[in-house]
Amino acid sequence: MNVPFLDLKAVNAGYVAEIKDSINRVLDSGWYVLGQEVEVFEEEFKLWCGVEHAVSVSSGLAALELIFRAWIELGALQEGDAIAVPSNTYIASVLAISGAGLVPVLIEPDSESLNISASGLAAYKGNAVKAVMVVHLYGRAAEMSELSAYCERVGLLMVEDAAQAHGAIVDDCRVGAWGDAAGFSFYPGKNMGAMGDGGMITCKDPELARMLKMLRNYGSEVKYKHELRGRNERLDELQAAILRVKLKYIDRDNAKRREIAHCYRKGLSNPLVLLPKEPVNGEAHVWHLFVVRVKQRKEFMDFLRDKEVGFMVHYPIPIHKQAAYSDDFAGLELPFTEAIHDEVVSLPLSPVMSEQQVARVIDVVNQFTGSADE
Ligand SMILES: *Cc1c(COP(=O)(O)O)cnc(C)c1O
């Protein structure tokens, strides 16, 4: 049996009728940018997330970058300010910081959660940072009460990168409602995926929300009157209409992901394959990815390929070793981050996997003996 890493067509197949209705509604409306669908989707997302404001944008990267740009416009940050970010995140987290004219400071993550932690921030002895970007990596929420207390005590702004963690709950509060602001991605492969690119910003401050709405739309609140040098980073009506369907089912889909993660954690028992840790409160993890660590990764990947079990590596090259940042981080050594990047493998996990597929993955992984000539 072949098990794909992620079958996006199957993911959307469950919603075909509702998605087609949504597409037709937009087609019939004759209105394609910044209309009813976007307005209603923002309202629905805001209520679901439990946050004061939601501003939709064109991608997760745009969401994160516009938050920083808005804070610069509002005087809360200045160009050149240092921003802490975990060193093992997806590059978009860091691109958002440097893209806004700020300086990313890479912080090694906690060894158990693989997320940035208050103790990791406290241990950093370099230039004072002005804000922290908390990334809920692989769908596991970071330790939010400790991080919030730390940011409050030291006087730091907190941004959440919730691109992988739609719907995760910590202490009865969803991710996206903890920080001063948060960015979500609706890239098709995310837990809540559009049929193209999309993103959402959530925040508490009405002034920040107003600024973000201007920045996403040419710096304009009133048509042809431009208060700032903005961008075009809007979510279109078609994606908003499709995402309104996805929002109805995200909690159910996340529950399915948790079930599969639970089966994996119960069934996988190969001493060569280190399993991801589960948070004490299961709701804090939405299992965007099920990431194991294997010292003999090359042999493991060859074995999976041979058995037709899909996999991916999130991520193969750490940011401080990427050509795009070779000047900024030359000579920087982050041993734990580098070890993670050498060992991680993501196994298939999606709400449309069958019991047989889950059982097959468990079977194959448990057969791995570590020898190259399997
Ligand atoms: C996907 C992702 C982003 C970027 O989202 P896009 O919509 O692809 O721009 C940012 N941060 C993390 C952690 C991500 O996984």
mmCIF file of all heavy atoms in Angstrom, residues 81-127:
data_model
loop_
_atom_site.group_PDB
_atom_site.id
_atom_site.type_symbol
_atom_site.label_atom_id
_atom_site.label_comp_id
_atom_site.label_asym_id
_atom_site.label_seq_id
_atom_site.Cartn_x
_atom_site.Cartn_y
_atom_site.Cartn_z
ATOM 1 N N ASP A 81 15.625 47.651 15.062
ATOM 2 C CA ASP A 81 15.399 46.983 16.351
ATOM 3 C C ASP A 81 15.601 45.471 16.204
ATOM 4 O O ASP A 81 15.310 44.896 15.150
ATOM 5 C CB ASP A 81 13.968 47.234 16.854
ATOM 6 C CG ASP A 81 13.823 48.596 17.525
ATOM 7 O OD1 ASP A 81 14.861 49.244 17.800
ATOM 8 O OD2 ASP A 81 12.673 49.020 17.781
ATOM 9 N N ALA A 82 16.067 44.864 17.306
ATOM 10 C CA ALA A 82 16.299 43.422 17.298
ATOM 11 C C ALA A 82 15.037 42.686 17.758
ATOM 12 O O ALA A 82 14.362 43.110 18.690
ATOM 13 C CB ALA A 82 17.466 43.071 18.215
ATOM 14 N N ILE A 83 14.729 41.587 17.063
ATOM 15 C CA ILE A 83 13.530 40.790 17.351
ATOM 16 C C ILE A 83 13.953 39.332 17.553
ATOM 17 O O ILE A 83 14.591 38.747 16.673
ATOM 18 C CB ILE A 83 12.520 40.844 16.169
ATOM 19 C CG1 ILE A 83 12.295 42.280 15.669
ATOM 20 C CG2 ILE A 83 11.206 40.141 16.549
ATOM 21 C CD1 ILE A 83 11.626 43.226 16.638
ATOM 22 N N ALA A 84 13.584 38.756 18.690
ATOM 23 C CA ALA A 84 13.929 37.353 18.957
ATOM 24 C C ALA A 84 12.988 36.422 18.196
ATOM 25 O O ALA A 84 11.779 36.673 18.121
ATOM 26 C CB ALA A 84 13.838 37.070 20.452
ATOM 27 N N VAL A 85 13.557 35.347 17.670
ATOM 28 C CA VAL A 85 12.768 34.370 16.893
ATOM 29 C C VAL A 85 13.469 33.015 17.052
ATOM 30 O O VAL A 85 14.697 32.960 17.135
ATOM 31 C CB VAL A 85 12.673 34.828 15.402
ATOM 32 C CG1 VAL A 85 14.059 34.947 14.764
ATOM 33 C CG2 VAL A 85 11.788 33.922 14.570
ATOM 34 N N PRO A 86 12.708 31.918 17.124
ATOM 35 C CA PRO A 86 13.383 30.620 17.274
ATOM 36 C C PRO A 86 14.223 30.289 16.043
ATOM 37 O O PRO A 86 13.832 30.575 14.916
ATOM 38 C CB PRO A 86 12.229 29.626 17.448
ATOM 39 C CG PRO A 86 11.003 30.330 16.970
ATOM 40 C CD PRO A 86 11.238 31.780 17.171
ATOM 41 N N SER A 87 15.378 29.666 16.286
ATOM 42 C CA SER A 87 16.336 29.410 15.207
ATOM 43 C C SER A 87 15.934 28.210 14.354
ATOM 44 O O SER A 87 16.553 27.972 13.322
ATOM 45 C CB SER A 87 17.715 29.165 15.813
ATOM 46 O OG SER A 87 17.610 28.288 16.919
ATOM 47 N N ASN A 88 14.906 27.454 14.764
ATOM 48 C CA ASN A 88 14.514 26.247 14.014
ATOM 49 C C ASN A 88 13.161 26.421 13.334
ATOM 50 O O ASN A 88 12.449 25.452 13.117
ATOM 51 C CB ASN A 88 14.438 25.048 14.963
ATOM 52 C CG ASN A 88 13.430 25.263 16.078
ATOM 53 O OD1 ASN A 88 13.290 26.386 16.570
ATOM 54 N ND2 ASN A 88 12.731 24.221 16.482
ATOM 55 N N THR A 89 12.793 27.656 12.986
ATOM 56 C CA THR A 89 11.485 27.880 12.364
ATOM 57 C C THR A 89 11.579 27.809 10.838
ATOM 58 O O THR A 89 12.669 27.646 10.273
ATOM 59 C CB THR A 89 10.911 29.239 12.793
ATOM 60 O OG1 THR A 89 9.593 29.398 12.246
ATOM 61 C CG2 THR A 89 11.791 30.382 12.309
ATOM 62 N N TYR A 90 10.421 27.950 10.170
ATOM 63 C CA TYR A 90 10.411 28.103 8.715
ATOM 64 C C TYR A 90 10.950 29.497 8.392
ATOM 65 O O TYR A 90 10.733 30.446 9.148
ATOM 66 C CB TYR A 90 8.981 27.934 8.181
ATOM 67 C CG TYR A 90 8.900 28.072 6.685
ATOM 68 C CD1 TYR A 90 9.718 27.292 5.868
ATOM 69 C CD2 TYR A 90 8.035 28.979 6.085
ATOM 70 C CE1 TYR A 90 9.666 27.421 4.489
ATOM 71 C CE2 TYR A 90 7.980 29.108 4.706
ATOM 72 C CZ TYR A 90 8.804 28.332 3.915
ATOM 73 O OH TYR A 90 8.755 28.463 2.551
ATOM 74 N N ILE A 91 11.598 29.641 7.271
ATOM 75 C CA ILE A 91 12.302 30.892 6.956
ATOM 76 C C ILE A 91 11.361 32.104 6.904
ATOM 77 O O ILE A 91 11.786 33.234 7.144
ATOM 78 C CB ILE A 91 13.119 30.752 5.649
ATOM 79 C CG1 ILE A 91 14.160 31.884 5.565
ATOM 80 C CG2 ILE A 91 12.194 30.713 4.437
ATOM 81 C CD1 ILE A 91 15.243 31.663 4.551
ATOM 82 N N ALA A 92 10.053 31.884 6.638
ATOM 83 C CA ALA A 92 9.126 33.019 6.539
ATOM 84 C C ALA A 92 9.082 33.833 7.830
ATOM 85 O O ALA A 92 8.929 35.060 7.790
ATOM 86 C CB ALA A 92 7.724 32.520 6.176
ATOM 87 N N SER A 93 9.210 33.175 8.982
ATOM 88 C CA SER A 93 9.200 33.903 10.263
ATOM 89 C C SER A 93 10.305 34.961 10.259
ATOM 90 O O SER A 93 10.102 36.100 10.688
ATOM 91 C CB SER A 93 9.458 32.963 11.443
ATOM 92 O OG SER A 93 8.703 31.788 11.375
ATOM 93 N N VAL A 94 11.473 34.566 9.779
ATOM 94 C CA VAL A 94 12.646 35.443 9.800
ATOM 95 C C VAL A 94 12.579 36.464 8.663
ATOM 96 O O VAL A 94 12.950 37.631 8.834
ATOM 97 C CB VAL A 94 13.928 34.583 9.742
ATOM 98 C CG1 VAL A 94 15.176 35.445 9.719
ATOM 99 C CG2 VAL A 94 13.964 33.626 10.936
ATOM 100 N N LEU A 95 12.063 36.040 7.504
ATOM 101 C CA LEU A 95 11.896 36.973 6.380
ATOM 102 C C LEU A 95 10.973 38.131 6.760
ATOM 103 O O LEU A 95 11.169 39.263 6.308
ATOM 104 C CB LEU A 95 11.301 36.243 5.170
ATOM 105 C CG LEU A 95 12.235 35.295 4.416
ATOM 106 C CD1 LEU A 95 11.446 34.488 3.385
ATOM 107 C CD2 LEU A 95 13.368 36.063 3.744
ATOM 108 N N ALA A 96 9.958 37.841 7.593
ATOM 109 C CA ALA A 96 9.020 38.894 8.002
ATOM 110 C C ALA A 96 9.743 39.966 8.821
ATOM 111 O O ALA A 96 9.443 41.152 8.716
ATOM 112 C CB ALA A 96 7.879 38.286 8.821
ATOM 113 N N ILE A 97 10.686 39.534 9.637
ATOM 114 C CA ILE A 97 11.435 40.461 10.495
ATOM 115 C C ILE A 97 12.393 41.296 9.648
ATOM 116 O O ILE A 97 12.360 42.536 9.682
ATOM 117 C CB ILE A 97 12.198 39.667 11.588
ATOM 118 C CG1 ILE A 97 11.196 38.948 12.509
ATOM 119 C CG2 ILE A 97 13.123 40.590 12.379
ATOM 120 C CD1 ILE A 97 11.839 37.947 13.478
ATOM 121 N N SER A 98 13.231 40.625 8.861
ATOM 122 C CA SER A 98 14.202 41.386 8.064
ATOM 123 C C SER A 98 13.490 42.192 6.976
ATOM 124 O O SER A 98 13.923 43.303 6.652
ATOM 125 C CB SER A 98 15.273 40.464 7.477
ATOM 126 O OG SER A 98 14.699 39.434 6.723
ATOM 127 N N GLY A 99 12.389 41.672 6.461
ATOM 128 C CA GLY A 99 11.636 42.381 5.427
ATOM 129 C C GLY A 99 11.070 43.706 5.904
ATOM 130 O O GLY A 99 10.834 44.627 5.114
ATOM 131 N N ALA A 100 10.834 43.807 7.213
ATOM 132 C CA ALA A 100 10.305 45.057 7.775
ATOM 133 C C ALA A 100 11.430 45.986 8.235
ATOM 134 O O ALA A 100 11.169 47.010 8.857
ATOM 135 C CB ALA A 100 9.365 44.739 8.938
ATOM 136 N N GLY A 101 12.674 45.619 7.926
ATOM 137 C CA GLY A 101 13.796 46.485 8.310
ATOM 138 C C GLY A 101 14.251 46.271 9.747
ATOM 139 O O GLY A 101 14.949 47.114 10.321
ATOM 140 N N LEU A 102 13.884 45.129 10.328
ATOM 141 C CA LEU A 102 14.288 44.794 11.689
ATOM 142 C C LEU A 102 15.359 43.700 11.646
ATOM 143 O O LEU A 102 15.632 43.137 10.588
ATOM 144 C CB LEU A 102 13.062 44.326 12.484
ATOM 145 C CG LEU A 102 11.919 45.361 12.531
ATOM 146 C CD1 LEU A 102 10.621 44.724 12.989
ATOM 147 C CD2 LEU A 102 12.301 46.542 13.433
ATOM 148 N N VAL A 103 15.942 43.420 12.814
ATOM 149 C CA VAL A 103 17.073 42.489 12.850
ATOM 150 C C VAL A 103 16.687 41.211 13.600
ATOM 151 O O VAL A 103 16.418 41.254 14.795
ATOM 152 C CB VAL A 103 18.286 43.158 13.548
ATOM 153 C CG1 VAL A 103 19.457 42.176 13.648
ATOM 154 C CG2 VAL A 103 18.692 44.416 12.796
ATOM 155 N N PRO A 104 16.645 40.071 12.908
ATOM 156 C CA PRO A 104 16.303 38.818 13.602
ATOM 157 C C PRO A 104 17.437 38.337 14.504
ATOM 158 O O PRO A 104 18.599 38.349 14.106
ATOM 159 C CB PRO A 104 16.068 37.824 12.458
ATOM 160 C CG PRO A 104 16.742 38.412 11.266
ATOM 161 C CD PRO A 104 16.860 39.880 11.458
ATOM 162 N N VAL A 105 17.079 37.915 15.710
ATOM 163 C CA VAL A 105 18.033 37.326 16.645
ATOM 164 C C VAL A 105 17.572 35.885 16.866
ATOM 165 O O VAL A 105 16.469 35.653 17.372
ATOM 166 C CB VAL A 105 18.031 38.099 17.981
ATOM 167 C CG1 VAL A 105 18.803 37.331 19.039
ATOM 168 C CG2 VAL A 105 18.610 39.493 17.789
ATOM 169 N N LEU A 106 18.409 34.931 16.456
ATOM 170 C CA LEU A 106 17.995 33.519 16.496
ATOM 171 C C LEU A 106 18.232 32.924 17.880
ATOM 172 O O LEU A 106 19.339 32.978 18.403
ATOM 173 C CB LEU A 106 18.775 32.718 15.442
ATOM 174 C CG LEU A 106 18.660 33.220 14.004
ATOM 175 C CD1 LEU A 106 19.484 32.328 13.066
ATOM 176 C CD2 LEU A 106 17.203 33.259 13.541
ATOM 177 N N ILE A 107 17.192 32.343 18.442
ATOM 178 C CA ILE A 107 17.253 31.766 19.789
ATOM 179 C C ILE A 107 17.041 30.261 19.687
ATOM 180 O O ILE A 107 16.061 29.812 19.077
ATOM 181 C CB ILE A 107 16.134 32.365 20.689
ATOM 182 C CG1 ILE A 107 16.187 33.899 20.713
ATOM 183 C CG2 ILE A 107 16.162 31.762 22.091
ATOM 184 C CD1 ILE A 107 17.307 34.491 21.528
ATOM 185 N N GLU A 108 17.926 29.482 20.304
ATOM 186 C CA GLU A 108 17.767 28.021 20.282
ATOM 187 C C GLU A 108 16.484 27.630 21.019
ATOM 188 O O GLU A 108 16.153 28.210 22.056
ATOM 189 C CB GLU A 108 18.965 27.340 20.949
ATOM 190 C CG GLU A 108 20.248 27.448 20.127
ATOM 191 C CD GLU A 108 20.710 26.103 19.569
ATOM 192 O OE1 GLU A 108 19.966 25.518 18.748
ATOM 193 O OE2 GLU A 108 21.805 25.660 19.938
ATOM 194 N N PRO A 109 15.768 26.641 20.494
ATOM 195 C CA PRO A 109 14.483 26.259 21.110
ATOM 196 C C PRO A 109 14.660 25.348 22.322
ATOM 197 O O PRO A 109 15.751 24.818 22.557
ATOM 198 C CB PRO A 109 13.803 25.491 19.985
ATOM 199 C CG PRO A 109 14.942 24.843 19.254
ATOM 200 C CD PRO A 109 16.073 25.840 19.299
ATOM 201 N N ASP A 110 13.576 25.154 23.036
ATOM 202 C CA ASP A 110 13.509 24.200 24.133
ATOM 203 C C ASP A 110 13.685 22.783 23.582
ATOM 204 O O ASP A 110 13.138 22.464 22.523
ATOM 205 C CB ASP A 110 12.132 24.344 24.814
ATOM 206 C CG ASP A 110 11.909 23.306 25.874
ATOM 207 O OD1 ASP A 110 12.550 23.416 26.926
ATOM 208 O OD2 ASP A 110 11.107 22.380 25.648
ATOM 209 N N SER A 111 14.424 21.929 24.300
ATOM 210 C CA SER A 111 14.768 20.615 23.733
ATOM 211 C C SER A 111 13.571 19.677 23.695
ATOM 212 O O SER A 111 13.569 18.721 22.931
ATOM 213 C CB SER A 111 15.909 19.987 24.530
ATOM 214 O OG SER A 111 15.490 19.784 25.861
ATOM 215 N N GLU A 112 12.547 19.913 24.482
ATOM 216 C CA GLU A 112 11.398 19.015 24.467
ATOM 217 C C GLU A 112 10.311 19.489 23.495
ATOM 218 O O GLU A 112 9.836 18.736 22.653
ATOM 219 C CB GLU A 112 10.807 18.867 25.862
ATOM 220 C CG GLU A 112 9.616 17.927 25.836
ATOM 221 C CD GLU A 112 9.137 17.512 27.207
ATOM 222 O OE1 GLU A 112 9.984 17.228 28.068
ATOM 223 O OE2 GLU A 112 7.906 17.483 27.396
ATOM 224 N N SER A 113 9.897 20.753 23.606
ATOM 225 C CA SER A 113 8.799 21.248 22.762
ATOM 226 C C SER A 113 9.297 21.696 21.394
ATOM 227 O O SER A 113 8.513 21.846 20.466
ATOM 228 C CB SER A 113 8.104 22.421 23.449
ATOM 229 O OG SER A 113 8.962 23.544 23.500
ATOM 230 N N LEU A 114 10.591 21.942 21.273
ATOM 231 C CA LEU A 114 11.220 22.522 20.082
ATOM 232 C C LEU A 114 10.711 23.941 19.802
ATOM 233 O O LEU A 114 10.904 24.477 18.707
ATOM 234 C CB LEU A 114 11.040 21.640 18.838
ATOM 235 C CG LEU A 114 11.581 20.215 18.931
ATOM 236 C CD1 LEU A 114 11.514 19.532 17.563
ATOM 237 C CD2 LEU A 114 13.028 20.176 19.435
ATOM 238 N N ASN A 115 10.054 24.556 20.783
ATOM 239 C CA ASN A 115 9.584 25.937 20.652
ATOM 240 C C ASN A 115 10.475 26.886 21.453
ATOM 241 O O ASN A 115 11.161 26.467 22.388
ATOM 242 C CB ASN A 115 8.147 26.054 21.174
ATOM 243 C CG ASN A 115 7.130 25.552 20.160
ATOM 244 O OD1 ASN A 115 7.311 25.740 18.949
ATOM 245 N ND2 ASN A 115 6.071 24.929 20.641
ATOM 246 N N ILE A 116 10.401 28.159 21.112
ATOM 247 C CA ILE A 116 11.115 29.177 21.882
ATOM 248 C C ILE A 116 10.511 29.187 23.296
ATOM 249 O O ILE A 116 9.313 28.930 23.473
ATOM 250 C CB ILE A 116 10.992 30.560 21.197
ATOM 251 C CG1 ILE A 116 12.082 31.516 21.677
ATOM 252 C CG2 ILE A 116 9.604 31.172 21.392
ATOM 253 C CD1 ILE A 116 12.198 32.791 20.817
ATOM 254 N N SER A 117 11.356 29.442 24.303
ATOM 255 C CA SER A 117 10.877 29.386 25.689
ATOM 256 C C SER A 117 11.374 30.606 26.459
ATOM 257 O O SER A 117 12.337 31.266 26.050
ATOM 258 C CB SER A 117 11.403 28.124 26.366
ATOM 259 O OG SER A 117 12.815 28.216 26.499
ATOM 260 N N ALA A 118 10.716 30.869 27.583
ATOM 261 C CA ALA A 118 11.123 31.998 28.425
ATOM 262 C C ALA A 118 12.549 31.793 28.918
ATOM 263 O O ALA A 118 13.341 32.741 28.963
ATOM 264 C CB ALA A 118 10.151 32.151 29.592
ATOM 265 N N SER A 119 12.916 30.539 29.247
ATOM 266 C CA SER A 119 14.288 30.323 29.747
ATOM 267 C C SER A 119 15.303 30.522 28.624
ATOM 268 O O SER A 119 16.400 31.038 28.848
ATOM 269 C CB SER A 119 14.425 28.958 30.404
ATOM 270 O OG SER A 119 14.046 27.947 29.508
ATOM 271 N N GLY A 120 14.941 30.131 27.402
ATOM 272 C CA GLY A 120 15.827 30.362 26.255
ATOM 273 C C GLY A 120 16.038 31.850 26.012
ATOM 274 O O GLY A 120 17.152 32.288 25.698
ATOM 275 N N LEU A 121 14.979 32.627 26.171
ATOM 276 C CA LEU A 121 15.075 34.084 25.992
ATOM 277 C C LEU A 121 15.932 34.691 27.097
ATOM 278 O O LEU A 121 16.783 35.551 26.846
ATOM 279 C CB LEU A 121 13.679 34.715 26.013
ATOM 280 C CG LEU A 121 12.857 34.508 24.744
ATOM 281 C CD1 LEU A 121 11.389 34.832 24.993
ATOM 282 C CD2 LEU A 121 13.409 35.369 23.613
ATOM 283 N N ALA A 122 15.721 34.210 28.321
ATOM 284 C CA ALA A 122 16.468 34.759 29.458
ATOM 285 C C ALA A 122 17.958 34.446 29.324
ATOM 286 O O ALA A 122 18.804 35.225 29.763
ATOM 287 C CB ALA A 122 15.903 34.198 30.763
ATOM 288 N N ALA A 123 18.272 33.296 28.695
ATOM 289 C CA ALA A 123 19.677 32.886 28.572
ATOM 290 C C ALA A 123 20.417 33.688 27.498
ATOM 291 O O ALA A 123 21.646 33.728 27.475
ATOM 292 C CB ALA A 123 19.748 31.395 28.233
ATOM 293 N N TYR A 124 19.689 34.353 26.609
ATOM 294 C CA TYR A 124 20.318 35.107 25.520
ATOM 295 C C TYR A 124 20.973 36.375 26.060
ATOM 296 O O TYR A 124 20.329 37.180 26.734
ATOM 297 C CB TYR A 124 19.275 35.444 24.444
ATOM 298 C CG TYR A 124 19.802 36.391 23.409
ATOM 299 C CD1 TYR A 124 20.741 35.975 22.475
ATOM 300 C CD2 TYR A 124 19.387 37.720 23.383
ATOM 301 C CE1 TYR A 124 21.249 36.856 21.538
ATOM 302 C CE2 TYR A 124 19.887 38.612 22.449
ATOM 303 C CZ TYR A 124 20.819 38.166 21.525
ATOM 304 O OH TYR A 124 21.320 39.043 20.614
ATOM 305 N N LYS A 125 22.268 36.540 25.782
ATOM 306 C CA LYS A 125 23.018 37.649 26.386
ATOM 307 C C LYS A 125 23.445 38.714 25.373
ATOM 308 O O LYS A 125 24.257 39.563 25.678
ATOM 309 C CB LYS A 125 24.272 37.111 27.107
ATOM 310 C CG LYS A 125 23.949 36.166 28.265
ATOM 311 C CD LYS A 125 23.184 36.870 29.389
ATOM 312 C CE LYS A 125 22.769 35.887 30.473
ATOM 313 N NZ LYS A 125 21.382 36.093 30.936
ATOM 314 N N GLY A 126 22.932 38.671 24.169
ATOM 315 C CA GLY A 126 23.331 39.650 23.153
ATOM 316 C C GLY A 126 22.574 40.963 23.283
ATOM 317 O O GLY A 126 22.063 41.291 24.354
ATOM 318 N N ASN A 127 22.479 41.698 22.177
ATOM 319 C CA ASN A 127 21.747 42.972 22.145
ATOM 320 C C ASN A 127 20.319 42.817 22.646
ATOM 321 O O ASN A 127 19.670 41.831 22.344
ATOM 322 C CB ASN A 127 21.658 43.482 20.699
ATOM 323 C CG ASN A 127 22.928 44.190 20.296
ATOM 324 O OD1 ASN A 127 23.804 44.437 21.129
ATOM 325 N ND2 ASN A 127 23.045 44.499 19.017
#
